[in-house]
Amino acid sequence: MTAPCLEVRGLNVRLRSGGRDLHLVRDVSFTVQSGERFGLIGESGCGKTTTLMALMGLLSDRASVAGDVLVDGVDILGDGERSVRAHRWRDIAVVFQSAMNALNPVQTVGRQIAEAAGRMVGESELPVKRRVSDVLELVGLRADVAGRYPHELSGGMRQRVAIAMAVVCQPRVLLADEPTTALDVIVQAQVLTALERACAELGAALVLVSHDMGVIGEVCDRAAVMYAGEVVETAEIDTLYHDPAHPYTQLLIAASPSLAHRDRELVSIAGTPPAAGGAVPGCGFVARCPRHFDPCASSAPHFWPVGSGMQRARCHLYDSASKVRP
Ligand SMILES: Nc1ncnc2c1ncn2[C@@H]1O[C@H](COP(=O)(O)OP(=O)(O)O)[C@@H](O)[C@H]1O
Ligand SMILES: [Mg+2]
């Protein structure tokens, strides 16, 4: 069997901040196959952006990253900064959160894409101009957009330019951090289509980060739900939406306006996620969980298989020794 396009094993991110050691990403593992679209969902502050930045090797010196990140079987973080620099953008690339607002206002779009292409060590045989028009076409924009300035473009077009800049070096893995958050619904669909199309044509794996279950459901084949820096559930999208296992996922689905059934009342999740990086003896969700029972406050749950095992949940409800059944 061929290696997965992206394999993340036991990723941990700790950050030294104000004399404290914050454990922001805890033992995150997932794999994404070539051409697959994988979602990362969770409320704001649960560690999605920190996870993506760790995969890119772009966290500050105050952060320490442990774990393995393999692209096509090659450990890209293995030898530290030098190793990741060789792979960044060429093998793994990211569309940053708010990327469409970070374009240079005084430079044409084509020039900015060409400069992004220049980051690739050893220019390809394709002339840069040709490469710019190819990549614009890949994200559904006309070649003459290259001569325009960011302020001359709509939000959706600017976001597609940001995607073009990320894929100009034809990465194997594309990470996209909340790429549609600031956009209205019709434009959101266009941007998601551009992302899907670019990844399909490149045969790249897509990791799509969003707090919006509707967006993830639109695009992804599988997803991981994050809470307080941990993956608390992974499943195929249909299972996640119709048969969620973790109480947090169940609440996320019930609280999602874009998925709400007309005959069902929208719920809100009481409380807020715990402060970043604090140590908790039991399950991180216990304080907000409507289904917590004896062991939840004192012992951390394992990541148990649910049903056939394709679905997994970090919850004592699925503990093989648990007397309580969902
Ligand atoms: N530089 C930092 N200093 C202190 N805390 C941070 C820093 N960066 C991120 N955090 C904290 O880490 C947690 C995860 O943040 P983030 O990865 O941005 O979450 P998400 O993308 O899911 O909204 C948050 O609680 C955030 O406050
Ligand atoms: Mg974020």
Side-chain angles (χ1 to χ4, degrees):
M1 214 175 116
T2 54
C5 216
L6 173 67
E7 186 169 5
V8 178
R9 289 199 297 233
L11 187 73
N12 280 277
V13 178
R14 292 175 175 276
L15 182 78
R16 285 175 300 285
S17 176
R20 292 202 307 147
D21 176 39
L22 306 176
H23 197 174
L24 298 185
V25 174
R26 299 160 189 255
D27 211 17
V28 164
S29 301
F30 59 90
T31 57
V32 192
Q33 304 296 333
S34 170
E36 196 184 16
R37 296 163 301 198
F38 186 78
L40 214 50
I41 320 170
E43 277 168 290
S44 184
C46 68
K48 306 181 297 294
T49 297
T50 308
T51 300
L52 294 198
M53 290 309 208
L55 301 186
M56 292 294 291
L58 286 173
L59 289 169
S60 82
D61 292 346
R62 291 186 301 130
S64 66
V65 178
D68 300 321
V69 178
L70 293 92
V71 174
D72 285 338
V74 176
D75 185 356
I76 62 167
L77 299 185
D79 299 323
E81 177 59 25
R82 246 181 71 209
S83 153
V84 71
R85 216 181 311 139
H87 296 282
R88 196 187 292 150
W89 305 117
R90 281 200 291 177
D91 297 322
I92 183 165
V94 63
V95 180
F96 293 111
Q97 195 161 358
S98 309
M100 69 183 207
N101 299 320
L103 297 173
N104 185 339
V106 295
Q107 219 174 45
T108 63
V109 158
R111 175 98 185 272
Q112 291 183 63
I113 297 173
E115 283 188 2
R119 293 188 290 236
M120 187 175 178
V121 185
E123 272 299 308
S124 90
E125 56 292 346
L126 270 185
V128 167
K129 212 170 157 188
R130 169 78 197 284
R131 188 194 293 210
V132 169
S133 58
D134 281 356
V135 82
L136 284 172
E137 201 252 336
L138 193 63
V139 296
L141 293 172
R142 284 177 15 196
D144 64 356
V145 168
R148 305 196 15 209
Y149 289 88
H151 75 268
E152 299 175 301
L153 307 177
S154 69
M157 289 168 89
R158 276 187 281 132
Q159 187 62 301
R160 281 187 274 174
V161 169
I163 298 167
M165 286 172 74
V167 298
V168 70
C169 299
Q170 306 186 326
R172 297 285 297 133
V173 178
L174 179 63
L175 315 172
D177 196 354
E178 307 268 8
T180 58
T181 296
L183 302 169
D184 69 54
V185 179
I186 293 175
V187 178
Q188 272 192 12
Q190 290 167 354
V191 167
L192 293 176
T193 305
L195 263 179
E196 284 183 85
R197 193 167 150 232
C199 288
E201 295 213 4
L202 297 172
L206 173 66
V207 178
L208 177 63
V209 162
S210 181
H211 65 276
D212 184 334
M213 301 290 281
V215 165
I216 296 287
E218 200 67 40
V219 175
C220 298
D221 311 303
R222 265 184 324 123
V225 179
M226 282 188 80
Y227 187 79
E230 281 184 315
V231 171
V232 297
E233 179 161 2
T234 53
E236 309 263 324
I237 284 293
D238 279 351
T239 312
L240 205 61
Y241 281 36
H242 300 297
D243 202 10
H246 197 286
Y248 179 57
T249 317
Q250 293 168 356
L251 282 170
L252 268 186
I253 301 272
S256 179
S258 48
L259 299 177
H261 300 296
R262 263 183 245 166
D263 56 352
R264 208 184 58 193
E265 219 173 298
L266 206 58
V267 303
S268 65
I269 311 178
T272 50
V280 277
C283 168
F285 189 55
V286 65
R288 301 170 81 191
C289 183
R291 305 178 68 183
H292 68 90
F293 60 113
D294 272 355
C296 303
S298 54
S299 91
H302 292 295
F303 200 36
W304 297 104
V306 179
S308 67
M310 291 291 281
Q311 183 177 20
R312 294 179 91 90
R314 193 178 300 281
C315 177
H316 284 299
L317 289 171
Y318 305 94
D319 183 333
S320 48
S322 168
K323 300 269 184 304
V324 182
R325 281 286 128 199

Short mmCIF file of all heavy atoms in Angstrom, two decimals, residues 48-49 97 177-178, ligand 2:
data_model
loop_
_atom_site.label_atom_id
_atom_site.label_comp_id
_atom_site.label_asym_id
_atom_site.label_seq_id
_atom_site.Cartn_x
_atom_site.Cartn_y
_atom_site.Cartn_z
N LYS A 48 -6.85 24.73 16.16
CA LYS A 48 -6.80 24.39 14.74
C LYS A 48 -5.65 25.12 14.03
O LYS A 48 -4.84 24.50 13.33
CB LYS A 48 -8.14 24.73 14.05
CG LYS A 48 -9.35 24.10 14.73
CD LYS A 48 -10.65 24.43 14.03
CE LYS A 48 -11.04 25.90 13.98
NZ LYS A 48 -11.34 26.52 15.29
N THR A 49 -5.58 26.43 14.22
CA THR A 49 -4.53 27.20 13.55
C THR A 49 -3.15 26.78 14.06
O THR A 49 -2.20 26.62 13.27
CB THR A 49 -4.75 28.72 13.76
OG1 THR A 49 -5.99 29.07 13.15
CG2 THR A 49 -3.64 29.55 13.14
N GLN A 97 -5.29 31.90 7.57
CA GLN A 97 -6.53 32.53 8.00
C GLN A 97 -6.44 34.01 7.60
O GLN A 97 -5.40 34.64 7.78
CB GLN A 97 -6.63 32.38 9.53
CG GLN A 97 -7.99 32.64 10.08
CD GLN A 97 -8.19 32.05 11.49
OE1 GLN A 97 -7.30 31.40 12.05
NE2 GLN A 97 -9.35 32.26 12.04
N ASP A 177 -6.99 27.45 6.11
CA ASP A 177 -7.45 27.83 7.45
C ASP A 177 -8.62 28.81 7.34
O ASP A 177 -8.43 29.97 7.00
CB ASP A 177 -6.28 28.46 8.22
CG ASP A 177 -6.54 28.53 9.72
OD1 ASP A 177 -7.67 28.19 10.15
OD2 ASP A 177 -5.61 28.91 10.46
N GLU A 178 -9.82 28.36 7.63
CA GLU A 178 -11.04 29.17 7.59
C GLU A 178 -11.11 29.99 6.30
O GLU A 178 -11.28 31.22 6.35
CB GLU A 178 -11.08 30.14 8.79
CG GLU A 178 -10.90 29.49 10.15
CD GLU A 178 -12.21 29.08 10.83
OE1 GLU A 178 -13.27 29.16 10.16
OE2 GLU A 178 -12.15 28.65 11.97
MG MG B 2 -7.78 29.68 13.86
#
